[in-house]
Amino acid sequence: MRVRDLCDLVLLAALWGGSFLFMRYAAPAFGPLPLIWLRVAVAAACLAPVLLLRRQVGALRAHAVGIVVVGVFSSALPFALIAWAMLSITAGLASILNATVPIFTALIGAVWLRERLGAARAAGLVVGFVGVLVLAVGQADFKPGGSGWAIIAMLLATLSYGLAAHLTRRLLGEVPALVSAAGSQIAAAIVLTPLALWFWPAESPGRLAWAAAIALGVGCTAFAFLIFFRLIANVGAARAVTVTFLIPLFGIIWGSIFLAERLDAGMLFGGAIVVLGTALATGVLRWPSSRPT
């Protein structure tokens, strides 16, 4: 991997790790649904001009149904679930749980598409879920105001991301990546508009909350998507997905620096197990005797 590609990988992890920080800060002020509407609307406003410049609007119209479906499961639904979860859990814990996305992607592929799992990938699924259980036992609290339901919401969000990956491949496999990215944000914004208006806060959020929401849309969504697609073009999808392993690191760092979040030994241990399981499930880490499947 070239130095430029490595820098892109680290920058992407920093941006996506920062999304948990911005949601943790802005979700209480806006509410989850209005905040996520702002996130996808701002991202759509940034990506739409690029789409026009590259003259790819025709592909957007031709695959409108698939783009709407992917937009719901890749953005509208998981973003909203994560924003709601951020009302109760730390940015560090959320970023660790987010690392289960490749595990759910592999599991859905095995169950739904009958994709063959080798021994290492199957072991990765088991190890990953053990890590989630370790985190849940140490952090989950289902009493009023506890974090239990928030952890479930995070896992449902990562499940939605995993489903979206396969839907994208099946419904938008021939569609340029920019069309999928811009179209999914436009579709998510349209779907969320009625809910955002209904739940719009009675009291106007402060300037810092607005700044966090705009940074979430511009930096952590629109700009991050462009970097991600450049990485895929330069190093391939298999290497680009390794950004998953770096996101928890930045989520923890940003949460510690800007939100004074504490990281305990249980979170470190559970997070390490989740990352190990993800590495095995995605094939990034293989047993010495295992072969690519």
Side-chain angles (χ1 to χ4, degrees):
M1 184 180 290
R2 298 177 303 175
V3 173
R4 177 182 174 180
D5 297 327
L6 183 60
C7 290
D8 278 348
L9 189 74
V10 174
L11 176 59
L12 181 60
L15 288 169
W16 277 344
S19 68
F20 300 100
L21 166 68
F22 292 130
M23 282 189 283
R24 178 71 171 159
Y25 185 83
F30 283 97
L33 291 171
L35 174 62
I36 295 310
W37 176 81
L38 279 171
R39 175 179 186 174
V40 296
V42 169
C46 292
L47 293 171
V50 182
L51 196 68
L52 289 171
L53 287 173
R54 296 191 181 180
R55 299 180 180 179
Q56 295 180 334
V57 178
L60 186 69
R61 296 195 192 100
H63 299 87
V65 175
I67 285 171
V68 170
V69 173
V70 170
V72 170
F73 286 100
S74 70
S75 299
L77 179 59
F79 286 178
L81 286 168
I82 292 172
W84 182 81
M86 295 308 299
L87 296 173
S88 304
I89 62 176
T90 65
L93 177 57
S95 64
I96 292 171
L97 291 171
N98 189 72
T100 61
V101 171
I103 296 175
F104 280 115
T105 303
L107 183 60
I108 292 171
V111 173
W112 180 28
L113 302 178
R114 305 298 181 186
E115 293 180 350
R116 183 173 172 269
L117 288 176
R121 296 187 68 195
L125 295 179
V126 175
V127 171
F129 281 116
V130 169
V132 172
L133 288 176
V134 170
L135 286 172
V137 169
Q139 301 292 326
D141 179 4
F142 289 93
K143 296 178 181 178
S147 61
W149 293 112
I151 290 175
I152 290 177
M154 277 298 308
L155 295 177
L156 288 175
T158 58
L159 175 64
S160 184
Y161 281 142
L163 178 60
H166 292 289
L167 289 172
T168 300
R169 187 172 65 178
R170 291 176 69 87
L171 300 178
L172 305 177
E174 304 299 323
V175 178
L178 176 62
V179 175
S180 299
S184 64
Q185 300 311 298
I186 293 169
I190 293 171
V191 168
L192 289 173
T193 295
L195 293 171
L197 292 174
W198 182 265
F199 290 101
W200 196 263
E203 183 177 346
S204 179
R207 285 179 294 180
L208 288 178
W210 275 101
I214 293 171
L216 186 63
V218 176
C220 302
T221 309
F223 185 48
F225 268 123
L226 293 177
I227 294 174
F228 186 55
F229 293 135
R230 184 168 69 184
L231 264 177
I232 290 175
N234 290 341
V235 304
R239 289 187 177 181
V241 79
T242 57
V243 70
T244 306
F245 306 120
L246 296 176
I247 291 174
L249 173 63
F250 282 98
I252 291 168
I253 290 173
W254 300 146
S256 175
I257 293 174
F258 295 104
L259 299 175
E261 294 179 351
R262 297 181 62 184
L263 184 65
D264 58 37
M267 283 180 60
L268 283 173
F269 182 59
I273 297 175
V274 167
V275 172
L276 173 61
T278 302
L280 288 170
T282 56
V284 173
L285 180 65
R286 295 189 177 97
W287 291 342
S289 60
S290 66
R291 298 177 180 176
T293 55

